[in-house]
Amino acid sequence: MINNASALSALRTLESINNQINTTNQRISSGRSIGSAADGPSQWSIATRIESENATLSPVRDALSIGRATMDVTTTGLSAVNTALQDMRNLLVSARQLGADRASIQNEIAGLLTGMQSTAQSSVLNGENYLAIADSATENMTKSVLSNVSGSGANLSVSTIDLNITDVILTDAAAGTGILDQTRTVGGQTTSVLNIDVSGIADGDVADIDDLIGIVDAAITEVISAEARLGAAISQIDSADNFLSSLSTAYSNASGGLVNANLEEESARLQALQTQQQLAIESLAIANETSASILTLFR
């Protein structure tokens, strides 16, 4: 048996080039130079851990988004109530004028009070209401928003952004500790904002209205303070979300640097291999033709 050494060598070269072309095509189509542990155990292991850490950031950012939306709804409610309290204060100032129609003014005040209670009750998102609660004695007054999760197992670390709503709630149905329904005493008047009534006050007792104005002023101050508290919490959430966004980008870059293919390099490599493939095919054809030429001498 006679072997054509040149043809066998050319065939092996062609097979090697074809294998490289297949590998390069796979890298280009997948975008990865390391697609499994077999391609690079160390890089694959590190990249897999990084990708796992990165995957945990998505639900955390979702939680931050929901938490921020809930606080936005709460802030909107507080802003509306603050405006209504200012309007109520103006009505009380009008009521202290001698000869004022306090019954009509009280009707307007009642409308504002109804609107404020409705605002508190409807400031709900995802089942959470920070403005109107059933009972502060049984309600969890600390609302937590998941802000980060890192590590695993015994080294698992969970961070939250906490908001104590004790000084934020407007109405507390059972205990009456909300900004609107808590009993206050100013001068000779002891009542809550929701129970203010000027319809029965006579011209000679307008000083009582000054005390009622003081009660409303105290509520306005507390609403402004609650808005500031929520603003600080929202700022924390935004800061945490920005950090997680940057962290996710860093994780993606780190993981990609380990396993992602350089598509420009791989494309250039593919073109070079295709050229080598054509040359190898021609070399194999030449080697086969040489053997055929030698065989004709024996005919």
Side-chain angles (χ1 to χ4, degrees):
M1 181 178 180
I2 299 175
N3 291 326
N4 187 337
S6 297
L8 289 174
S9 176
L11 183 60
R12 291 192 186 96
T13 299
L14 181 59
E15 288 177 348
S16 174
I17 292 172
N18 286 339
N19 288 336
Q20 293 179 68
I21 288 176
N22 289 335
T23 299
T24 303
N25 277 326
Q26 184 177 9
R27 289 176 177 175
I28 291 174
S29 63
S30 67
R32 292 197 165 200
S33 59
I34 298 177
S36 66
D39 298 328
S42 177
Q43 295 96 318
W44 182 84
S45 176
I46 295 172
T48 299
R49 286 199 297 270
I50 292 174
E51 289 171 356
S52 177
E53 289 283 346
N54 198 15
T56 64
L57 299 183
S58 180
V60 175
R61 295 192 68 188
D62 288 343
L64 284 171
S65 179
I66 294 172
R68 194 193 196 288
T70 303
M71 291 189 188
D72 281 342
V73 169
T74 304
T75 300
T76 300
L78 285 173
S79 179
V81 167
N82 188 15
T83 299
L85 286 171
Q86 296 287 352
D87 291 342
M88 183 175 175
R89 186 184 193 281
N90 292 337
L91 287 171
L92 289 173
V93 171
S94 298
R96 75 179 309 283
Q97 301 300 318
L98 296 178
D101 185 354
R102 297 186 183 94
S104 296
I105 291 175
Q106 182 58 39
N107 288 335
E108 293 184 59
I109 289 175
L112 290 173
L113 292 175
T114 299
M116 284 188 274
Q117 292 181 83
S118 177
T119 296
Q121 292 290 341
S122 60
S123 296
V124 183
L125 182 69
N126 197 37
E128 291 284 349
N129 189 332
Y130 297 172
L131 298 183
I133 63 174
D135 188 353
S136 58
T138 57
E139 177 84 13
N140 181 6
M141 302 300 284
T142 300
K143 305 300 181 180
S144 299
V145 178
L146 183 66
S147 61
N148 199 6
V149 176
S150 60
S152 61
N155 297 319
L156 182 67
S157 175
V158 178
S159 302
T160 60
I161 294 172
D162 298 327
L163 172 69
N164 190 313
I165 64 170
T166 300
D167 297 325
V168 174
I169 57 173
L170 296 175
T171 60
D172 178 358
T177 63
I179 294 173
L180 298 180
D181 60 8
Q182 66 176 279
T183 299
R184 307 171 190 269
T185 298
V186 174
Q189 293 294 310
T190 299
T191 187
S192 68
V193 171
L194 293 181
N195 290 323
I196 286 178
D197 188 345
V198 298
S199 61
I201 297 178
D203 283 347
D205 298 322
V206 292
D208 291 341
I209 297 179
D210 292 337
D211 294 338
L212 294 177
I213 292 173
I215 290 175
V216 172
D217 284 342
I220 290 173
T221 298
E222 290 181 8
V223 168
I224 293 172
S225 178
E227 288 184 87
R229 188 185 297 273
L230 280 162
I234 289 173
S235 179
Q236 281 185 277
I237 289 176
D238 288 344
S239 178
D241 188 56
N242 290 335
F243 168 73
L244 292 181
S245 177
S246 299
L247 186 60
S248 179
T249 299
Y251 279 158
S252 296
N253 291 339
S255 174
L258 290 169
V259 299
N260 285 355
N262 186 318
L263 296 182
E264 292 181 357
E265 290 183 2
E266 295 298 337
S267 295
R269 176 179 173 81
L270 179 60
Q271 291 180 357
L273 287 171
Q274 288 172 339
T275 300
Q276 294 177 35
Q277 184 185 52
Q278 291 299 321
L279 294 173
I281 291 173
E282 292 178 11
S283 295
L284 180 59
I286 292 171
N288 287 331
E289 288 176 3
T290 300
S291 298
S293 298
I294 294 174
L295 289 175
T296 59
L297 297 175
F298 295 95
R299 293 178 182 174

